[in-house]
Structures are given as C-alpha cells and as structure tokens.
Amino acid sequence: MTAAVLNGVPNGIASSSSSSSKLASYLSDETRFASIDKILDRKGPWTDERFEGGQGTKDFLRTQSKILVIGAGGLGCEILQNLALTGFNDIHVIDMDTIDISNLNRQFLFREVDVGKSKALVAAEFVMNRVPGVKVTPYHGKIQDHPISFYEQFNIVVAGLDSISARRWINATLVQMAQEDEEQLKPLIDGGTEGFKGQARVILPTVTSCYECSIDMLTPPTAFPICTIANTPRLPEHCIEWASVLEWPKVHKDKKLDTDDPDHIEWLYQQASARAAQFKIEGVTWALTQGVVKNIIPAIASTNAIIAASCCNEALKIATACAPYLNNYMMYVGNDSVYTYTFEHEKRPECPVCGGESLTAEAGRYWTLERFIESLTNRQDLQISKPSLSYSKGALFWPSPPDVFEATKPNLDKLLSDLLDEEEGIVVTDPALPVSVNLSIKYVDAEEPAQ
C-alpha cells in the first residue's frame, strides 16, 4: 500500500501534467489526512491495547514525534516521501553520498540537474516542496560523526542503508543507549533490499534480537589471508587488497581511504596494476578494484517501494499504537512471484552487542596464528575480514598501521599454543565490528599430528 493510497490522494491528481501544483493544493486541504484519521480516530479489530486514539494520538504523530531516516538512496527516498504523506511532520535524514547519474532510475526525488549535489539536502528540499507543512532536516555526512546525544532526540530511527557496517554501527549505538538508560530505548526499523529480495524488521534494543544477532544470516565477506596478500599474491583481488589494506596506509599515513572517491579508486587501481604486473597476474581492472573495496548491491525500484512501505507502516504503528507492530522480521522474495514470510528472530545469547555470554574460539593446538586468524574470518557469527588481535602483553597481530604490522607479522608463523594459554582471553577488533569482541581460546587437538 503506497502513501498516496493511504492518504486518499486521487490518481488523477498524482498523474496529471500539472501534478506539482494540484497535489500541493490538495495536500494543504483539510482532507489531507482523511484516510489516516479513520485509522486513528477509533479502535479496530487489530488495534494495539495501548491505543488511545483521537486528537491526542494525531497531535503526537503530527506535532510531537521526531523521526530519523538514515540513508537517502533508493530505499531512503521512498521512506521519506511515505513518512511525509503519512503524517510525520518532523523528519531528519542523514546521508553521506552525492547524487550520481546512475541513481536517477530508482531514486525518484532526484533529477539530472541534481547530479553532484548532496542526497540528503536535495531529498529534504524536494519533500518539503511537495508536502506543505512538513519539515525535513538534512545532514550531509556519516552517521558515525554524530554523538550519542544526537540520537537521543528521536522517537524512532528508520534505516534505509546499503551498508552492512553502517547497520552494525547504528544498531550497536542504539543498544548501548538502551543499556545505559532504559528510557533511551529507540525503536530501530531496518529495511534492506538486494535485487528482487528484501527485508523489514523491527528492533527494540535490549528487548528483541538486534541486528548483530542475525549477522550469521548474511553471506560472509570475501576475506584474503594477510600473508598471501603481502607475500604471494595469486589473484587480481589479492593485488587490490594489498593496495587498499597495506599500501594505502603506508603511503597516505592517517588519510582515510574513501571508497566513494574516484581519485582514491584510481590510485588503488594503478598500485594494484603495478603489483599484478610484478607477479604476472592478469585481470586487474578499474571496475574490479571498485567492486573489491566497495560492496555494491544491486537495487530495483519496485523492491525499494515494497520494503519502504513496510518500514513506514511499522513507524506509523509504533508512533500511534494503531496496530501491533511487526514481531520482528519480514522477508520478501520477488524473483518468481510475490512472497513474504514473517517470523520472530530470537536473541542470540553470545551476541557481542546485546548478548550476555562470552565467545569461545576453538583452535587446534598446533595451529599457527595465521591459521587461527583465517578461522576467525570464516566465522559466520562474526563476519570480519581484517581482524586485529590483542592480548595481555599487547598487540598479537595488527594489519595496520604499517609499523605495528611489521612488528607483529612474525607472530603469524608461530604456534598459537606458544603465544596463548588455554582459555586465555584475546580482544578482536575489525573495521566491520561495531564493538570489540572478547574471545577465550579452547584447544581441541590433544596430540601433535603425524609428520
């Protein structure tokens, strides 16, 4: 169900040649919320027990609630317009990207003249122009740039992201807020699409399963052993990883690699090409370089619309209690037909973000540290690719910065049992991890393997 249908906007107005002026006039009319008011004025067969209804509920939705949308891309554009037409009048949106010509086939708040401009700023201006009375506050930048106090001001957070790491970060931040003060529990509505597939979920930090609880449902990232990258590359991807993981920090020091900057991708491409030539490896291209360092997910407009509608329905239900909200996961598959399935994803006791149990890592007694690190990168419940390991004596192995990498590199060839005692704790950090993870080692091999 689209927001236009929800609010009773006639198809003729929405599709006429002078749609902008007619729609604006219609939405400023007293009938703007006629259809929504029918839901909010009285109880129904599925009304939540907390529902009060009437003018108080409508006032909270339209004048008091403050909602944050993270992402103004294909999913975020749909979410913004749906929220505005549903009755949310104080909307904030964050996005770090600028508009590319390739966005225009599915991100319908943008036009060709907007190419190169901030997605958040253009989307906010577009929605405010089309829906009178709605205030959309844009922020151009990363979600990590804002302090926790910034997120405390919102009633609901809706994530329309195309980045796993960003999802993990905002999830961990909201869980931390709720753990420190239960009154700071902010519902997180997470939407995601990939081609004809998508999902919408409602996360109540510390109450329901969090995003990290279901991380093992994701396809693990491709990981390449550091030693292979540094010493014996065999694939073009090894050369690209060498350029991004080892060479970039060595040459550029504290300058952060921006995978959205074409100049940065070009530098990596040139470095990877030179290394590939040195080892007689073929296949390094600019497109492959971009694909290796930046996870590009295909997007389809129809899937974005369906998932955005589901997310906005949940936002309305949470804000007004007009119906029970999702408990807690809806998956959509549209490859061959229209199929949805709803289920409750349970909390994972050993979740590093919201779980209370510690993690244990099994290892062979005669494994090298390098092999142990490879086993960590293959763990579905961690989803890491470039881990740094520390223990009671300091750094065990860090892939960066370059000086620490060189100092800890010899440990890779040492036996893990010579470095760590049984059940000795180590701390694992990774660019993909929103928190540090404490692991205890459990050795499973009793005898040295036969030579």
Side-chain angles (χ1 to χ4, degrees):
M1 184 180 296
T2 65
V5 174
L6 275 174
N7 291 280
V9 178
N11 291 334
I13 290 180
S15 60
S16 64
S17 59
S18 57
S19 61
S20 295
S21 59
K22 289 184 179 180
L23 183 59
S25 175
Y26 182 85
L27 290 176
S28 63
D29 190 288
E30 63 181 4
T31 61
R32 171 180 173 184
F33 294 119
S35 296
I36 291 292
D37 285 348
K38 292 178 181 178
I39 299 174
L40 301 182
D41 278 335
R42 63 184 187 275
K43 292 186 176 182
W46 303 108
T47 303
D48 190 280
E49 61 182 12
R50 300 176 295 112
F51 179 74
E52 296 180 0
Q55 194 59 44
T57 298
K58 291 185 283 188
D59 286 345
F60 175 78
L61 173 66
R62 296 163 192 169
T63 64
Q64 299 177 44
S65 64
K66 184 180 292 188
I67 190 166
L68 173 66
V69 178
I70 303 178
L75 195 55
C77 282
E78 296 288 334
I79 290 172
L80 285 171
Q81 64 180 10
N82 285 358
L83 290 175
L85 291 169
T86 300
F88 289 91
N89 283 342
D90 190 357
I91 305 171
H92 297 241
V93 58
I94 304 177
D95 198 296
M96 61 177 287
D97 289 340
T98 55
I99 300 165
D100 185 79
I101 190 70
S102 64
N103 300 148
L104 303 184
N105 72 333
R106 64 191 182 280
Q107 300 177 21
F108 301 125
L109 301 185
F110 309 139
R111 301 293 181 264
E112 191 170 350
V113 295
D114 299 321
V115 172
K117 299 178 182 177
S118 164
K119 286 185 177 181
L121 271 64
V122 172
E125 183 179 0
F126 191 103
V127 172
M128 287 191 290
N129 286 338
R130 290 294 293 270
V131 188
V134 171
K135 178 185 177 183
V136 184
T137 304
Y139 305 88
H140 178 73
K142 298 180 180 180
I143 56 175
Q144 295 89 341
D145 293 339
H146 295 272
I148 287 181
S149 59
F150 170 79
Y151 296 99
E152 291 176 346
Q153 65 181 302
F154 301 105
N155 302 105
I156 301 172
V157 177
V158 184
L161 291 159
D162 62 358
S163 166
I164 301 300
S165 60
R167 281 190 176 95
R168 297 175 81 172
W169 186 89
I170 188 62
N171 170 76
T173 298
L174 296 181
V175 170
Q176 179 186 348
M177 287 167 51
Q179 288 174 335
E180 295 177 353
D181 182 358
E182 61 182 18
E183 293 186 359
Q184 289 298 331
L185 191 155
K186 310 294 182 182
L188 170 62
I189 303 171
D190 177 64
T193 67
E194 183 174 354
F196 287 103
K197 300 178 182 180
Q199 90 283 331
R201 61 187 301 184
V202 172
I203 297 170
L204 302 180
T206 71
V207 178
T208 66
S209 63
C210 74
Y211 185 81
E212 199 74 22
C213 288
S214 59
I215 201 71
D216 57 350
M217 296 174 62
L218 303 176
T219 302
T222 302
F224 304 107
I226 291 293
C227 271
T228 300
I229 295 171
N231 301 322
T232 56
R234 300 183 301 275
L235 301 172
E237 290 84 354
H238 292 163
C239 300
I240 296 168
E241 283 285 288
W242 170 84
S244 62
V245 176
L246 299 178
E247 198 65 10
W248 177 275
K250 179 180 178 180
V251 173
H252 297 279
K253 305 301 181 184
D254 296 330
K255 184 177 181 180
K256 187 174 178 62
L257 174 63
D258 184 356
T259 57
D260 292 307
D261 190 328
D263 292 335
H264 290 196
I265 300 297
E266 176 65 25
W267 188 91
L268 295 178
Y269 167 62
Q270 295 296 339
Q271 297 296 315
S273 296
R275 185 165 178 81
Q278 178 185 352
F279 287 88
K280 297 181 173 57
I281 299 172
E282 298 181 353
V284 175
T285 65
W286 200 95
L288 180 63
T289 303
Q290 185 183 47
V292 169
V293 300
K294 181 179 181 181
N295 184 25
I296 300 175
I297 301 174
I300 297 174
S302 58
T303 309
N304 286 337
I306 291 169
I307 297 303
S310 177
C311 291
C312 294
N313 279 340
E314 296 309 318
L316 176 66
K317 290 188 287 185
I318 291 173
T320 65
C322 64
Y325 50 78
L326 181 67
N327 183 29
N328 51 40
Y329 197 114
M330 186 278 287
M331 58 179 291
Y332 163 78
V333 181
N335 298 66
D336 300 316
S337 62
V338 176
Y339 172 79
T340 62
Y341 177 68
T342 302
F343 64 95
E344 179 181 358
H345 194 291
E346 297 182 357
K347 294 184 70 172
R348 182 159 59 94
E350 67 278 10
C351 172
V353 172
C354 73
E357 297 182 7
S358 60
L359 287 170
T360 300
E362 293 187 347
R365 188 171 298 277
Y366 296 98
W367 283 9
T368 62
L369 178 61
E370 180 183 6
R371 183 176 177 185
F372 176 69
I373 292 174
E374 288 180 20
S375 73
L376 292 182
T377 61
N378 290 328
R379 284 185 62 149
Q380 285 281 94
D381 60 342
L382 288 180
Q383 296 274 344
I384 58 178
S385 58
K386 303 178 182 69
S388 297
L389 278 62
S390 303
Y391 67 141
S392 58
K393 298 178 182 179
L396 189 61
F397 173 74
W398 288 9
S400 63
D403 55 338
V404 183
F405 167 71
E406 292 297 333
T408 58
K409 182 180 176 182
N411 287 339
L412 291 172
D413 296 326
K414 296 180 180 179
L415 292 180
L416 185 65
S417 57
D418 291 340
L419 296 168
L420 297 169
D421 296 329
E422 180 86 27
E423 297 185 357
E424 184 173 356
I426 61 173
V427 178
V428 179
T429 58
D430 187 273
L433 280 173
V435 295
S436 59
V437 175
N438 295 309
L439 290 176
S440 59
I441 304 298
K442 179 181 179 181
Y443 293 112
V444 295
D445 290 343
E447 298 179 0
E448 185 174 0
Q451 297 297 320

